[in-house]
Amino acid sequence: MKARELPVEGWSKVVHFTDEAVGLNAIVSVHDATLGPAVGGCRIFPYATFEAALEDVKRLSRGMTYKNALGGIPFGGGKSVIIADPKEDKTPAMFRAFGAALNSLNGLYYTAEDSGITEADLGIVREVTEYVAGIENKGVGGNPSPFTARGVWRGIEAAVRHKMVRESLNGVRVSILGVGAVGMSLAELLRSSGAELTVADVNSEAAAEAARRFGANVVTPDEAVAADVDVFSPCALGGAINKATIGRIRAKIVAGAANNQLAEPSMDEALRAAGILYAPDYVINAAGVISVGLEILKQWTADEMNRRIDAIGPRLERIFDRAASTGRPTGEIADEMAMEVIAKAAEAA
Ligand code: NAD
């Protein structure tokens, strides 16, 4: 195995690992480790060039710094990528070599799931290293989707309180784009609070299930974006808020589970200017990292998860309040608050 540290300004440590014998070509990027060891998933993707992989892992690891800091867990931001085709190139030997690479960092970075890598793959990594989380073990950790849905539900409550000055979701109209693992659980929670649902999914069976179970009104994905509702909740892919959709959103609130909801950073200010309250995606959907964090701390229980996830509501309210009092967009405020958490920890150290 070869390890080559890459000098990257603004990042704590970026290392390129290669092991030709087993086809491992990986980059581990630790953006910031002020709060503790860096935590973030491993993505397996057939990047066209090494530079593209490096850019992606840098961007993703920086995002984890903000996400972990505002998730309230004592971990820094990191991420890794393995340059390979997840459909063809994965082998147990490659995962063991990746585990050995993590060992060489002596606990500076813990990996977990991301696209292209499964829980079973991580199980092989775990054979050789303890620096891996996100694996279900006797009811601890594992699938975070129901917890993510709970966080989004709490986030919608906070947004409705702030924007509509209403304490209850009873009668609040919500359009959910994507009723998969998270969206369907969210629909159940919202319905139990008396919300009225509109749903859309490219999988017509999922949409029909939401109609049957929760009385949801089924529309096309395009109609879900422009629905006459109070809350638009993107729970499918990223990029739901873009130049083409922003002018069509009639909701007063955007609050959903999807990662990277803003197709470009300028959408943060565009939402504010349109009078739409945006719950920053990485704050409202933080349950997955909270679960991984508790797993590493060996503090994972369902009660502790729920307690931490319920804190997402008050955390968002602080973001909304500062955004309102300063006239700035909520995404920018979230980043600022994350940096404050890190600066405070650095001062105390
Ligand atoms: P999922 O794959 O179970 O569900 C996504 C749903 O969206 C599917 O039903 C799919 O058919 C539908 N969909 C896909 N493209 C669509 C389109 N163009 N229009 C309408 N529907 C479409 O995924 P999930 O686990 O529910 O995650 C949903 C989103 O939340 C993803 O962006 C994911 O990255 C993010 N997220 C999930 C978790 C988690 O705990 N699962 C945590 C954080 C963030």
Side-chain angles (χ1 to χ4, degrees):
M1 165 108 59
K2 284 194 198 130
R4 184 169 63 101
E5 188 163 344
L6 309 171
V8 180
E9 208 184 317
W11 270 252
S12 280
K13 195 172 194 126
V14 181
V15 187
H16 181 205
F17 292 98
T18 47
D19 186 340
E20 280 176 22
V22 297
L24 179 73
N25 186 8
I27 309 171
V28 175
S29 171
V30 173
H31 173 250
D32 190 282
T34 308
L35 295 178
V39 172
C42 172
R43 177 168 294 185
I44 303 184
F45 188 79
Y47 293 98
T49 62
F50 176 78
E51 285 67 33
L54 180 60
E55 273 316 301
D56 206 31
V57 77
K58 278 170 55 186
R59 180 183 64 84
L60 293 166
S61 59
R62 186 180 51 203
M64 290 310 297
T65 295
Y66 296 122
K67 187 166 192 166
N68 292 344
L70 277 198
I73 54 170
F75 293 105
K79 203 93 183 181
S80 52
V81 293
I82 297 178
I83 305 168
D85 184 339
K87 290 197 193 78
E88 295 186 2
D89 302 334
K90 298 197 290 194
T91 62
M94 178 199 271
F95 287 124
R96 288 191 197 101
F98 180 60
L102 300 187
N103 281 338
S104 75
L105 295 171
N106 296 315
L108 179 65
Y109 165 72
Y110 283 76
T111 199
E113 250 172 309
D114 198 88
S115 56
I117 192 162
T118 65
E119 222 176 305
D121 298 334
L122 285 177
I124 302 172
V125 179
R126 158 99 23 112
E127 287 173 15
V128 295
T129 182
E130 62 184 291
Y131 305 122
V132 51
I135 306 175
E136 199 272 334
N137 180 18
K138 300 191 184 92
V140 167
N143 176 17
S145 305
F147 293 107
T148 302
R150 184 181 173 105
V152 176
W153 177 51
R154 292 302 190 209
I156 290 175
E157 284 176 341
V160 163
R161 209 174 295 130
H162 182 90
K163 185 78 182 173
M164 300 170 68
V165 199
R166 278 169 71 162
E167 283 303 320
S168 153
L169 293 183
N170 198 20
V172 169
R173 299 161 304 155
V174 185
S175 169
I176 306 177
L177 180 64
V179 271
V182 178
M184 193 69 83
S185 292
L186 174 65
E188 185 168 12
L189 291 166
L190 290 170
R191 188 63 207 135
S192 73
S193 308
E196 289 168 19
L197 304 179
T198 295
V199 299
D201 199 297
V202 286
N203 173 357
S204 57
E205 278 175 30
E209 184 185 332
R212 195 172 61 245
R213 289 176 60 196
F214 315 121
N217 174 33
V218 176
V219 297
T220 65
D222 198 46
E223 288 165 346
V225 175
D228 182 14
V229 292
D230 303 304
V231 182
F232 171 47
S233 186
C235 293
L237 308 175
I241 314 298
N242 55 50
K243 283 196 173 125
T245 57
I246 186 130
R248 300 178 53 236
I249 298 171
R250 291 157 83 188
K252 309 171 189 71
I253 293 165
V254 171
N259 281 315
N260 306 319
Q261 287 170 37
L262 309 184
E264 46 192 288
S266 65
M267 290 296 119
D268 192 23
E269 168 58 20
L271 283 167
R272 190 206 62 78
I276 299 168
L277 182 67
Y278 166 58
D281 47 12
Y282 71 81
V283 181
I284 196 169
N285 75 10
V289 284
I290 293 172
S291 177
V292 163
L294 290 179
E295 212 183 311
I296 295 169
L297 295 170
K298 303 203 183 334
Q299 291 175 5
W300 199 103
T301 64
D303 281 352
E304 184 60 15
M305 275 297 289
N306 285 336
R307 196 184 67 75
R308 299 237 185 183
I309 284 162
D310 289 349
I312 288 174
R315 190 170 292 137
L316 281 169
E317 283 184 58
R318 288 195 291 280
I319 292 170
F320 298 154
D321 286 344
R322 191 187 291 187
S325 65
T326 59
R328 288 159 60 208
T330 51
E332 189 182 305
I333 299 290
D335 289 359
E336 180 178 275
M337 285 188 169
M339 293 316 290
E340 285 168 8
V341 171
I342 293 164
K344 212 168 145 196
E347 258 172 46

